Amino acid sequence: MKSKHNFKSFWRFIRKNLKFCTVFIVTLALVFLSIFWGIIPVKQNFEGNLLVKSFSFTCQENESLLLKDVYNLSQIDLSGLKKFTLAGIFSSLADPELNKRERLEIESIRENSTLTITPTADFILQELRLQKETRVKNLKYAPFNNLLAFSLQPNSQPVNLSFNPSGNPIKITLSGYKIANLPQKKEDIPLEFNLSTTEFKLEIQQAIDVNLQLSQDQEQPIFWRNIKVSNVRFERPIITGNNVRDDLVESTIISGNIRMAQQDLKLEENQFLIVEKPGVEILNQIKIIREDSNQNLKLKTTGENLQITEASQGLEVSVSGNTNSIQVGLNPRLPIAQIQGSFLSRYLANKAIVAIISFSGGLIVSLLSWLFDNFTASP
């Protein structure tokens, strides 16, 4: 009976203060909505710039241009080609039979076979175009020998490497290969000959490793922009070969900055970048940061000490994408910093969202206090 009396009293109080109760309910709903919009994760666009030792990605668009007009290459090493064809004019002192050929069918005879191309003069990599689902692994730049290296893993469509010899002969060295319809040499003796051709193109149908010896005179950018990608990884595995449990993954990030929802996250060396799917979707720009005699020194002050250190070198990668959460930390399982997107963060700064939620909480407490005091005081 007492609970029934309390209910009647409460209902009588609501009818007596109907306008206030209506405002209270509407305000309460708006408060909860603001908290919901400020907390619940929502996918948002992000962008960032990273300096890395190496990284991997999967191409998401057919005929996507990765490399263009790489001038004055001094040497190209391609490891893993199983079968390919060379066409042109051949010349060899060791194998005069090659001088009669205009086309060579070449096949690998061991796993670590290598094709080495050594230009005698100007030699240009005109372009490297990727097909959809082509995986580029461990793309890296080694500043000490000016070497650009990566692994190519085509999916179903072949990838073409197009070179321009500029009318000059090129030296070809085949290690671990045989030429069809020619006597096979010992496996450990490389085949060497010169090739003269106006067009030099290789069709890549299987996974290979590519090493490009760059020229110091290359001034214009060699990487194309706005490459649509997925499965981007700024890390590499460390495999012991003894026990899978001993295998590790290390970050390849040297430094960087990520921005999303009007917030910034700074990355330091060896920190992991953990991005929820879909993650990085576009490589806006890739630049080689090489040693520069005018910029290769940095000054740092530590107390009263002055330190001189070399500037970091590697690949500078500008990325953008879409996600609802970005995390950073030395251990990918225990990140120390996070940006989480929400509906309100699209329009308001993080401080404004915190202020709205705090104000909303205080308003609810005030309204509940007023309601309780007036209800207990009512007859």
Side-chain angles (χ1 to χ4, degrees):
M1 295 295 292
K2 186 176 180 181
S3 59
K4 188 175 181 181
H5 174 74
N6 288 339
F7 177 77
K8 288 182 177 179
S9 299
F10 181 70
W11 183 248
R12 197 164 45 245
F13 174 81
I14 290 177
R15 285 187 298 176
K16 185 179 179 181
N17 299 276
L18 185 60
K19 290 184 178 179
F20 171 81
C21 291
T22 302
V23 172
F24 174 77
I25 292 172
V26 172
T27 304
L28 193 63
L30 291 175
V31 166
F32 277 113
L33 279 175
S34 66
I35 294 174
F36 178 83
W37 288 335
I39 295 178
I40 298 300
V42 175
K43 289 182 180 178
Q44 293 192 36
N45 295 331
F46 70 90
E47 61 183 10
N49 286 293
L50 303 168
L51 181 62
V52 301
K53 301 170 189 174
S54 64
F55 72 105
S56 305
F57 63 90
T58 300
C59 179
Q60 286 300 309
E61 190 174 34
N62 284 326
E63 298 296 327
S64 185
L65 185 60
L66 177 64
L67 292 172
K68 181 175 175 61
D69 294 337
V70 187
Y71 292 98
N72 300 328
L73 287 164
S74 56
Q75 184 170 305
I76 301 99
D77 292 307
L78 305 175
S79 302
L81 277 172
K82 301 299 180 186
K83 193 174 183 180
F84 59 97
T85 301
L86 296 179
I89 301 174
F90 301 94
S91 60
S92 172
L93 296 176
D95 298 283
E97 182 66 25
L98 291 178
N99 302 339
K100 305 174 186 178
R101 302 290 187 93
E102 294 182 354
R103 187 180 182 89
L104 297 180
E105 302 290 339
I106 301 168
E107 187 175 349
S108 170
I109 56 176
R110 67 169 187 244
E111 286 295 325
N112 58 342
S113 53
T114 303
L115 163 64
T116 301
I117 304 167
T118 309
T120 58
D122 292 343
F123 190 75
I124 303 169
L125 193 162
Q126 284 185 310
E127 62 179 30
L128 167 59
R129 288 189 179 271
L130 306 177
Q131 300 297 336
K132 190 173 182 180
E133 299 301 328
T134 300
R135 182 72 176 162
V136 178
K137 290 188 67 176
N138 200 28
L139 175 61
K140 61 184 177 181
Y141 171 70
F144 60 90
N145 57 358
N146 206 24
L147 184 72
L148 183 68
F150 54 92
S151 296
L152 274 179
Q153 296 181 349
N155 184 25
S156 56
Q157 302 180 67
V159 173
N160 288 323
L161 265 171
S162 301
F163 300 93
N164 180 5
S166 303
N168 301 302
I170 53 178
K171 179 182 176 182
I172 303 291
T173 303
L174 301 175
S175 179
Y177 287 98
K178 68 176 182 179
I179 301 175
N181 301 321
L182 279 182
Q184 184 177 337
K185 291 188 175 183
K186 291 184 179 180
E187 186 176 326
D188 57 344
I189 299 178
L191 302 167
E192 293 186 1
F193 53 88
N194 288 339
L195 169 63
S196 298
T197 179
T198 55
E199 183 182 27
F200 188 75
K201 182 180 290 187
L202 287 171
E203 191 176 78
I204 313 300
Q205 298 182 354
Q206 65 282 318
I208 67 165
D209 295 326
V210 181
N211 292 314
L212 303 176
Q213 195 75 49
L214 303 179
S215 167
Q216 293 287 354
D217 300 328
Q218 179 80 38
E219 295 182 355
Q220 71 181 63
I222 63 174
F223 290 100
W224 206 238
R225 299 187 177 191
N226 299 330
I227 304 171
K228 294 182 180 179
V229 295
S230 66
N231 195 24
V232 180
R233 294 286 181 269
F234 299 103
E235 57 192 41
R236 70 179 186 91
I238 302 176
I239 302 173
T240 62
N242 298 322
N243 192 319
V244 177
R245 291 180 299 177
D246 296 331
D247 296 346
L248 299 172
V249 175
E250 75 170 3
S251 170
T252 59
I253 292 174
I254 299 172
S255 61
N257 188 74
I258 294 288
R259 181 168 180 80
M260 185 182 78
Q262 303 186 50
Q263 299 179 62
D264 291 274
L265 271 183
K266 184 180 179 182
L267 289 96
E268 298 181 353
E269 190 167 6
N270 299 324
Q271 284 190 320
F272 287 89
L273 176 64
I274 306 108
V275 184
E276 296 292 332
K277 290 183 178 181
V280 176
E281 296 178 303
I282 297 177
L283 300 177
N284 301 309
Q285 188 175 30
I286 307 171
K287 291 172 60 178
I288 291 176
I289 306 299
R290 67 178 73 193
E291 184 176 0
D292 188 330
S293 58
N294 295 322
Q295 298 180 2
N296 66 341
L297 295 179
K298 288 183 178 179
L299 300 180
K300 294 183 178 180
T301 56
T302 307
E304 297 180 354
N305 299 322
L306 181 65
Q307 298 178 351
I308 301 178
T309 61
E310 292 188 1
S312 298
Q313 302 172 64
L315 294 174
E316 186 178 76
V317 189
S318 172
V319 300
S320 58
N322 189 271
T323 187
N324 57 19
S325 176
I326 297 175
Q327 296 176 315
V328 169
L330 288 173
N331 190 322
R333 297 181 181 179
L334 299 170
I336 62 167
Q338 178 181 18
I339 297 178
Q340 184 167 291
S342 66
F343 178 79
L344 288 181
S345 63
R346 294 180 178 179
Y347 312 102
L348 300 173
N350 190 51
K351 290 182 178 179
I353 296 173
V354 172
I356 289 174
I357 293 175
S358 300
F359 173 77
S360 300
L363 185 60
I364 290 176
V365 172
S366 299
L367 290 173
L368 287 174
S369 298
W370 185 94
L371 184 65
F372 179 78
D373 290 342
N374 283 269
F375 175 68
T376 55
S378 64

